[in-house]
Amino acid sequence: MTPEFLIAAALVLPLIIAAGIAALGKFPNLREGVTIVGSFALLAVVVQLTMMVSAGQRPELFIGEAVPGLAFAFRLEPLGALFAVVASGLWIVNSFYSIGYMRGNRERNQTRFYICFALAICGAMGVAMSGNLFTLFVFYEVLTLSTYPLVAHKGDAAAQRGARIYLLTLLGTSIGFFLTAVMWTWALAGQNLDFVDGGLLAGAAISPVVASALLLLFVFGLGKAALMPFHFWLPNAMVAPTPVSALLHAVAVVKAGVFAVMKISVYIFGVDLMNATPSADFLIIVACVTIVLASLIAMTKDNLKARLAYSTIAQLAYVTLGALLATEAGLMGGSLQIAAHAAGKITLFMCAGAIYVATGLTNVSDMKGLGRKMPIVFIAFFVASLSIIGIPPLAGAWPKYELMQGAVDGSLDWVLAVLVISSLLNIAYLLPIPILALMPLPGTKPPKEFKRPGGAPALTVAAPAFTAALCVLLFFMITPISNFLAPAFEAPGTLIEADLP
Amino acid sequence: MWDFILERAGYWAIIGLMMIGLFIAFSSENLIKRLVGLSLFMTTICLFYVTLSKVTGGTAPILLKEDMPYGGAGYTAAAPDAQLVAAGGERFAELVHTYSNPLPHVLMLTAIVVGVATLSVGLALIVRIREAYGSIEADELRAIDIETAIAQEAEAEKDQHEAAA
Amino acid sequence: MILESLLVSAPDWAIDHAPVLIPVVPLIMAAMLALSPSGRLSWILSMVATAASFYFALLTLGTVQSTPGGIIEYWIGNWDVIGIEFRVDALNAMILLLVTGMGFLASIFAWTTIAAEVQKQKISLFLSAFLLCFAGLCGVTATGDAFNLFVFLEISSLSTYALVAMGASRDRRALTSAFDYLIMGTLGASFYIIGVGFLYAATGTLNMNELATQLPALSGNRSVQVGFAFIIVGLGLKAAMWPLHQWLPNAYAYSPSFVTMFLAATATKVALYAMIRWLFTIFNPDFAFEQAIFTFILAPLGIAAMVICSFQAVFQTDVRRMLAYSSVAQVGYIILGISIATTAGVAAGLLHLFNHALMKGALFMAIAGICINYKGTTIRDFAGLGRSAPFTMAAFAIAGLSLIGVPLTAGFISKLQLGYALFDHGWWWAVLLVVFSSFLAVLYVGRILQSIFFMPPANPRKTRKEAPLMLLVPLWILALANIYFGIDANFPAGLARDGAIAALGLEAFP
């Protein structure tokens, strides 16, 4: 299996899966089978690629040039491999969960749903493995467009409105800012857009003003990273069914955004240029404001999905913060957060979906005491909440620790305070939910009866339980993961010479 | 100053007529008058070209024997074409009798034909407009169009209400 | 490879006379059609004529690419130097290919849509007018003589006025639109001919190549400058350069759908070609007054078109009107690209010209398909058509996404190239405006797409009624071309680059 074949397989497999789903649309079990088998195959391919990357290789694939100078090229390095593993691995879990949820809720248009999922995963793979900004941009847009029907799935007026805001915000930021930044980079880097170890623009003599403007365009242009003030698409996208929210907020879309921020800061700007860019400080402030403000807003929301949405906005800003800190620990923390938050948030969302299918409840205030009837769900919720808060021995502890270390390394001690405040706020808006559900205060009304006889479908309970266990597992796997990522953040000159396509 | 004006009397007339034609084409409300203005404009262009071709002291564009470089019956192929080309407009060839350039006249024959075609298409359109609208005044046409648009909008609203009901 | 095999297999007379046969064959066929009875025969004859022109255009392109120097000089009647010349270089070869190609695709689907919108006994006259328009446009592109350009321009324009007026059977406002278009178009052509007159007075020649060699010596001559101004204004009106675009929205909205499709794909493109020819080949950008024109007139007008007309498009309710304003905005992009006056800028403009013809051709062809079966072209009338006519609307959606500039479509590549060229030139503020008007395009195309795919039909009795196959085939050819040239844009980008090099007078094929 040559690297080129594997990369091509990782891209083409989701498309084949989509075609298979379309063909077998009339036979639900076969159709779901295609998704499951295909997603396992994708994970196998991605794991093989990851093993190549950890051995020091950088698998590459060059498809062709659209016009001279704009190439479709792929190059896998540790960051991308991490994102690809997270995306493809959690797709499997999400697929099982979707089967349970969509059938349990008797949703319509399931074929379209699964097809768009597969296309979105293809987009995520493309983003993860992209070798230059042009390819990244193309697959970033593919991701936006393929998830639009998913957000508008329900088809009613609220869903259409939410989907419209989703599309316009993401397209607006990407066409308005990101595309401009791409064109500018091309002009500055001498008609080159490749991701280079050490930073594409590190060699070009760029004035701090230009670098500042370019960084602002990039960070605000990546609307999927949900940095304020372009965050409002996220809560509006909550009109989608919960498997979509789990996909959007853990696996594909938002992670693509923050991953792109990390990749651009490491491979386009490079650590040295990031540290020399004045607007990075401004953006660190914006990220910190996002963290605190989103957490505060989350506390005021009674709708569970809305609360989780704002929590996501805050947690994503961690990754952006890590990228902007541009110290080794900060970058490591941001990257680890991609994986840790994915595991934690997908659990939370899947629990929310299970609760909705079983009881029809969406508000936190109605869920007191529900834990007696749905113990597994709420225990998983509890574990995932601890991970988000950042308490060992759960996955979220490491990113938080690394980010604090990175803040100290960058002499930004006040960021430490922000991270601590954020943890306290996380406790405030997350912990009461499972605790009050499992151990309600005396005198609370008993919760409603199950809407669906038999409670939540088995798959919708098993999936979050699995990912909650993953949160614990990831804590203990920190050493291999950080060793895997370390080569990406070492100073230039100590890296293997990478061949550009 | 007067010399300046009188030397270019022809051009002043052309400009004046052009602007009159243009003004009529823009400002008239009657469609036929607009066409008349347009036609005036196009005719003035013919005047412009023909004026260009006139050489002071020139005569009709017929080559006389004395003008032929090698005299005698016909001229050989060795005669430089440049003479024919240069014998127009402001350039003077070494011809005994200078003549006015026939090329612009020929060009304007084409332009007249184009003008006639334009005029006929325009008049045919006016006939059809009269049939369809009953008027050929531009302001009345606009008013009728606005009424039609409002009526169409109202009908569409009605259809939508019926469909929703 | 295709071109080489065509060149090898073509008869000698075809290769020698290809440039002139491109307009002449449809011209003769138009005369024949005017006399023939209406019916499918006239449609087949028009297809034959456009196919022949397309074939000759391919031969011309092949010849240009294989000739050292890259220029074909064809003197009509062998009247060297003093006669009328047809002069084809890489720039016109590309435009000829585009115009004949779009004309051929248009004539394929002509029967389906004309049968629905034009009275039976007028069909052969209609097709005759179409061939005249087609011949005129090809002639404008192929000619190397300034006055001959005017003649062909008027041939195409007069037939266009008649074609636009044929929409009166659906909406009588077609008549007033055609009349306004007649007045404005004739004024434009007249301005052009006045400009040519001034140049003739100063140089004594009408041949474009001769003018190009003589004008540099005359750059201070006021006649030359005035002539230049008149020519640019005249051609700008034909190209729908803002603010001379007022004729376009009405003409596109009320004419028969077939006519709108053909005009949108070809008419303004040919006028833009003529502008490029005059600005770069005949007049050199080195002229002092021309530099000022580029920076202070063409660039601002291009930007104004982009921004203002995109705004106007957002607020329209009729789909054809909306796309008409969008066309004016896209012409603004092309003019902005031209005003950069470097090879990269002109190449970007030409690439966008090519892609825009593909996009708008597909969009208006899809609308023609809808008009056959369904009444009305407002956004409300389009509601729910995604279910009723899925194949037609899928192609429409692809072309719409290309118009927005979504990656993997042709529109993205040309917008990207334009952005690069602007950045290279230092006009980063123009990039922001380009990006802003692209965002506006998201809004107006998004409105149409939302209505088509996500709204229930106004009349719930709409059953599935697809456009006829004869329309779907060329429609999908265009839609797939949009995608193909978004992934592998080497062919149009190569043509555009060669065309830009040829326009600027540099050696294209040494």
Side-chain angles (χ1 to χ4, degrees):
Chain A
M1 295 277 172
T2 63
E4 288 86 23
F5 176 76
L6 285 173
I7 295 185
L11 290 168
V12 170
L13 208 49
L15 294 175
I16 298 179
I17 296 171
I21 297 173
L24 293 171
K26 292 277 189 303
F27 311 104
N29 291 331
L30 285 178
R31 177 187 69 201
E32 261 71 296
V34 169
T35 309
I36 301 291
V37 169
S39 53
F40 271 111
L42 184 64
L43 182 63
V45 168
V46 172
V47 164
Q48 268 206 292
L49 282 169
T50 311
M51 296 202 300
M52 285 186 189
V53 171
S54 76
Q57 288 179 38
R58 297 285 178 265
E60 282 175 11
L61 176 63
F62 174 76
I63 295 190
E65 290 189 322
V67 256
L70 287 180
F72 285 104
F74 300 94
R75 181 169 158 260
L76 201 52
E77 37 74 51
L79 259 182
L82 176 76
F83 178 43
V85 168
V86 167
S88 47
L90 289 177
W91 186 26
I92 301 177
V93 180
N94 195 289
S95 300
F96 279 112
Y97 178 78
S98 304
I99 296 173
Y101 182 94
M102 300 298 273
R103 293 187 181 194
N105 228 16
R106 299 185 203 289
E107 294 272 356
R108 293 167 20 244
N109 289 324
Q110 290 193 25
T111 309
R112 180 179 82 188
F113 180 84
Y114 288 109
I115 294 177
C116 290
F117 250 85
L119 293 175
I121 293 294
C122 175
M125 288 296 121
V127 168
M129 301 193 294
S130 56
N132 58 33
L133 269 177
F134 172 65
T135 317
L136 181 74
F137 184 79
V138 170
F139 281 96
Y140 185 88
E141 296 292 35
V142 167
L143 198 52
T144 307
L145 292 173
S146 55
T147 46
Y148 171 71
L150 289 173
V151 178
H153 183 93
K154 287 218 172 83
D156 57 5
Q160 285 195 15
R161 185 178 160 274
R164 198 168 41 231
I165 296 179
Y166 175 80
L167 192 69
L168 284 178
T169 316
L170 288 181
L171 278 183
T173 47
S174 67
I175 296 181
F177 300 135
F178 190 25
L179 187 61
T180 314
V182 168
M183 293 196 268
W184 201 353
T185 311
W186 185 88
L188 287 171
Q191 313 201 355
N192 192 3
L193 284 176
D194 295 325
F195 290 127
V196 174
D197 292 326
L200 174 68
L201 295 173
I206 308 181
S207 72
V209 177
V210 168
S212 296
L214 194 62
L215 187 64
L216 284 171
L217 282 175
F218 267 122
V219 174
F220 284 123
L222 290 163
K224 294 200 174 86
L227 197 66
M228 287 187 173
F230 298 113
H231 65 285
F232 45 85
W233 63 267
L234 241 180
N236 274 302
M238 288 297 113
V239 291
T242 310
V244 178
S245 303
L247 179 73
L248 290 186
H249 299 108
V251 182
V253 174
V254 292
K255 286 297 177 296
V258 290
F259 163 76
V261 173
M262 288 236 66
K263 190 134 184 185
I264 287 171
S265 78
V266 175
Y267 290 105
I268 297 282
F269 277 79
V271 170
D272 296 324
L273 186 59
M274 286 292 288
N275 283 324
T277 305
S279 64
D281 299 325
F282 167 70
L283 285 169
I284 290 178
I285 298 179
V286 173
C288 293
V289 165
T290 305
I291 295 174
V292 173
L293 202 52
S295 304
L296 287 173
I297 300 179
M299 281 175 26
T300 68
K301 294 285 177 189
D302 197 29
N303 182 303
L304 180 55
K305 277 177 75 170
R307 185 176 287 205
L308 293 177
Y310 278 98
S311 163
T312 306
I313 297 173
Q315 296 291 311
L316 288 174
Y318 280 30
V319 182
T320 315
L321 182 63
L324 293 165
L325 283 173
T327 55
E328 232 180 281
L331 291 169
M332 178 68 71
S335 316
L336 289 174
Q337 173 75 339
I338 292 182
H341 176 249
K345 222 12 134 352
I346 201 176
T347 315
L348 292 176
F349 269 106
M350 289 201 283
C351 292
I355 297 171
Y356 178 69
V357 175
T359 61
L361 291 173
T362 52
N363 285 349
V364 170
S365 47
D366 297 330
M367 294 180 191
K368 300 193 176 75
L370 194 54
R372 293 289 163 80
K373 292 198 188 165
M374 305 178 69
I376 305 180
V377 167
F378 278 99
I379 293 177
F381 196 102
F382 179 65
V383 170
S385 307
L386 291 180
S387 173
I388 300 276
I389 294 168
I391 298 180
L394 286 138
W398 286 117
K400 208 152 248 174
Y401 167 71
E402 290 283 350
L403 280 172
M404 292 188 187
Q405 182 68 45
V408 169
D409 286 343
S411 331
L412 289 167
D413 295 337
W414 56 273
V415 174
L416 220 75
V418 169
L419 289 170
V420 169
I421 294 176
S422 163
S423 296
L424 292 175
L425 291 173
N426 289 349
I427 296 178
Y429 68 70
L430 275 180
L431 271 188
I433 305 176
I435 293 185
L436 286 179
L438 289 166
M439 298 177 291
L441 302 171
T444 27
K445 271 183 6 220
K448 284 169 47 187
E449 280 306 312
F450 277 155
K451 178 184 85 174
R452 181 175 178 277
L459 280 175
T460 60
V461 175
F466 176 75
T467 49
L470 204 57
C471 290
V472 180
L473 189 63
L474 280 175
F475 177 80
F476 295 104
M477 283 174 56
I478 182 59
T479 320
I481 296 180
S482 58
N483 284 341
F484 176 72
L485 285 172
F489 309 129
E490 276 165 14
T494 60
L495 291 169
I496 318 159
E497 269 297 305
D499 287 317
L500 302 173
Chain B
M1 159 82 177
W2 281 116
D3 283 339
F4 178 81
I5 296 180
L6 288 176
E7 262 179 22
R8 293 156 177 78
Y11 293 110
W12 290 112
I14 291 168
I15 295 172
L17 284 171
M18 258 190 210
M19 291 305 114
I20 292 174
L22 206 57
F23 179 72
I24 299 174
F26 280 149
S27 70
S28 293
E29 292 295 346
N30 185 306
L31 294 185
I32 293 196
K33 286 186 186 167
R34 294 181 78 182
L35 270 187
V36 167
L38 192 68
S39 178
L40 185 57
F41 187 73
M42 290 196 290
T43 314
T44 318
I45 297 175
C46 299
L47 199 59
F48 176 53
Y49 267 74
V50 169
T51 315
L52 286 180
S53 77
K54 176 67 181 166
V55 173
T56 318
T59 83
I62 302 173
L63 284 175
L64 303 177
K65 222 189 234 176
E66 300 84 51
D67 302 320
M68 306 299 245
Y70 300 110
Y75 54 101
T76 62
D81 292 317
Q83 266 203 335
L84 288 168
V85 169
E90 323 284 292
R91 311 250 182 126
F92 295 98
E94 283 129 12
L95 298 168
V96 176
H97 304 264
T98 53
Y99 58 85
S100 302
N101 192 352
L103 182 59
H105 293 252
V106 164
L107 298 177
M108 285 306 105
L109 280 177
T110 316
I112 290 171
V113 170
V114 170
V116 166
T118 311
L119 206 54
S120 51
V121 172
L123 288 170
L125 278 174
I126 293 180
V127 168
R128 281 287 286 125
I129 291 178
R130 178 79 161 90
E131 280 173 20
Y133 283 88
S135 156
I136 53 170
E137 301 288 329
D139 43 5
E140 283 175 30
L141 293 175
R142 270 194 293 273
I144 297 177
D145 277 340
I146 293 179
E147 273 177 38
T148 322
I150 295 179
Q152 270 184 353
E153 273 290 311
E155 213 186 286
E157 291 284 337
K158 204 164 55 99
D159 280 343
Q160 240 210 342
H161 283 310
E162 273 176 21
Chain C
M1 354 90 265
I2 310 180
L3 286 175
E4 278 144 22
S5 55
L6 274 178
L7 277 179
V8 162
S9 62
D12 274 337
W13 59 265
I15 299 185
D16 289 336
H17 299 288
V20 84
L21 284 174
I22 298 177
V24 162
V25 167
L27 214 49
I28 297 178
M29 201 63 92
M32 281 170 50
L33 275 185
L35 300 170
S36 74
S38 275
R40 283 190 200 260
L41 179 66
S42 43
W43 167 54
I44 294 179
L45 287 178
S46 70
M47 260 207 301
V48 166
T50 49
S53 291
F54 184 54
Y55 171 68
F56 290 126
L58 284 169
L59 288 181
T60 313
L61 181 64
T63 318
V64 163
Q65 286 182 343
S66 54
T67 316
I71 301 183
I72 304 178
E73 296 179 354
Y74 183 96
W75 293 92
I76 304 223
N78 273 330
W79 285 99
D80 261 358
V81 177
I82 51 174
I84 294 180
E85 180 191 14
F86 267 33
R87 194 182 174 83
V88 181
D89 59 12
L91 178 61
N92 352 20
M94 168 188 173
I95 307 288
L96 276 173
L97 188 70
L98 181 68
V99 172
T100 50
M102 297 305 291
F104 178 48
L105 286 173
S107 64
I108 294 179
F109 89 98
W111 179 254
T112 54
T113 170
I114 293 175
E117 292 186 20
V118 175
Q119 293 166 332
K120 186 112 198 315
Q121 65 268 30
K122 294 196 186 166
I123 291 185
S124 58
L125 289 176
F126 184 90
L127 287 171
S128 166
F130 160 66
L131 282 182
L132 279 176
C133 184
F134 177 77
L137 291 172
C138 293
V140 171
T141 319
T143 187
D145 181 282
F147 195 84
N148 197 233
L149 195 148
F150 165 73
V151 173
F152 276 114
L153 193 64
E154 282 300 85
I155 293 178
S156 68
S157 302
L158 284 171
S159 39
T160 310
Y161 309 145
L163 285 171
V164 168
M166 292 304 289
S169 50
R170 257 191 324 134
D171 189 331
R172 64 184 175 181
R173 283 175 287 188
L175 296 168
T176 40
S177 318
F179 188 80
D180 288 333
Y181 185 17
L182 185 147
I183 301 277
M184 292 190 77
T186 312
L187 283 175
S190 308
F191 270 54
Y192 173 80
I193 202 65
I194 296 174
V196 169
F198 277 112
L199 287 180
Y200 181 68
T203 59
T205 174
L206 290 168
N207 182 286
M208 289 185 184
N209 193 31
E210 264 298 301
L211 282 171
T213 43
Q214 292 194 13
L215 282 173
L218 293 166
S219 67
N221 188 322
R222 204 172 303 160
S223 301
V224 164
Q225 294 172 352
V226 170
F228 175 74
F230 270 106
I231 290 174
I232 296 302
V233 169
L235 290 175
L237 200 149
K238 290 289 185 183
M241 181 171 77
W242 196 92
L244 303 165
H245 69 287
Q246 312 285 355
W247 55 269
L248 198 146
N250 279 332
Y252 281 22
Y254 300 123
S255 59
S257 331
F258 167 77
V259 173
T260 313
M261 180 261 168
F262 180 64
L263 287 183
T266 54
T268 45
K269 315 289 171 288
V270 167
L272 282 166
Y273 150 75
M275 273 182 84
I276 294 178
R277 182 63 80 199
W278 277 97
L279 282 171
F280 292 104
T281 315
I282 305 175
F283 283 94
N284 211 294
D286 292 336
F287 284 163
F289 64 84
E290 194 162 323
Q291 274 299 335
I293 302 269
F294 280 130
T295 332
F296 294 113
I297 296 192
L298 285 183
L301 288 182
I303 292 177
M306 270 172 11
V307 177
I308 297 180
C309 289
S310 295
F311 257 121
Q312 285 183 296
V314 173
F315 294 109
Q316 299 299 321
T317 48
D318 182 79
V319 173
R320 302 194 337 162
R321 251 203 133 75
M322 183 185 280
L323 292 176
Y325 277 108
S326 160
S327 287
V328 181
Q330 303 296 313
V331 166
Y333 281 108
I334 301 172
I335 290 185
L336 183 61
I338 294 174
S339 67
I340 304 177
T342 58
T343 317
V346 178
L350 283 172
L351 183 62
H352 196 66
L353 192 149
F354 186 88
N355 288 335
H356 180 236
L358 295 177
M359 289 179 233
K360 280 288 157 51
L363 285 169
F364 281 113
M365 212 190 274
I367 296 183
I370 295 302
C371 284
I372 296 179
N373 291 321
Y374 299 100
K375 194 174 73 115
T377 50
T378 59
I379 297 186
R380 221 179 287 154
D381 294 322
F382 269 45
L385 281 179
R387 264 183 228 283
S388 315
F391 280 110
T392 321
M393 286 294 119
F396 186 92
I398 294 176
L401 290 177
S402 186
L403 190 60
I404 294 178
V406 163
L408 297 182
T409 59
F412 173 64
I413 302 283
S414 53
K415 287 216 175 117
L416 205 59
Q417 297 286 73
L418 185 64
Y420 286 163
L422 286 169
F423 259 125
D424 260 351
H425 195 63
W427 286 358
W428 52 269
W429 45 270
V431 177
L432 293 178
L433 290 169
V434 168
V435 150
F436 174 63
S437 55
S438 298
F439 178 64
L440 289 175
V442 171
L443 290 180
Y444 60 74
V445 175
R447 273 181 71 198
I448 309 180
L449 291 180
Q450 183 192 30
S451 166
I452 293 175
F453 290 108
F454 294 110
M455 297 237 197
N459 187 347
R461 280 169 290 142
K462 258 184 205 163
T463 50
R464 240 184 103 136
K465 231 168 166 220
E466 197 63 77
L469 192 64
M470 270 315 222
L471 193 148
L472 284 179
V473 167
L475 176 61
W476 273 96
I477 292 179
L478 283 175
L480 291 174
N482 268 303
I483 297 186
Y484 180 73
F485 290 135
I487 300 179
D488 177 14
N490 278 310
F491 175 63
L495 284 179
R497 193 187 54 238
D498 293 336
I501 295 176
L504 291 164
L506 308 168
E507 272 293 313
F509 305 106

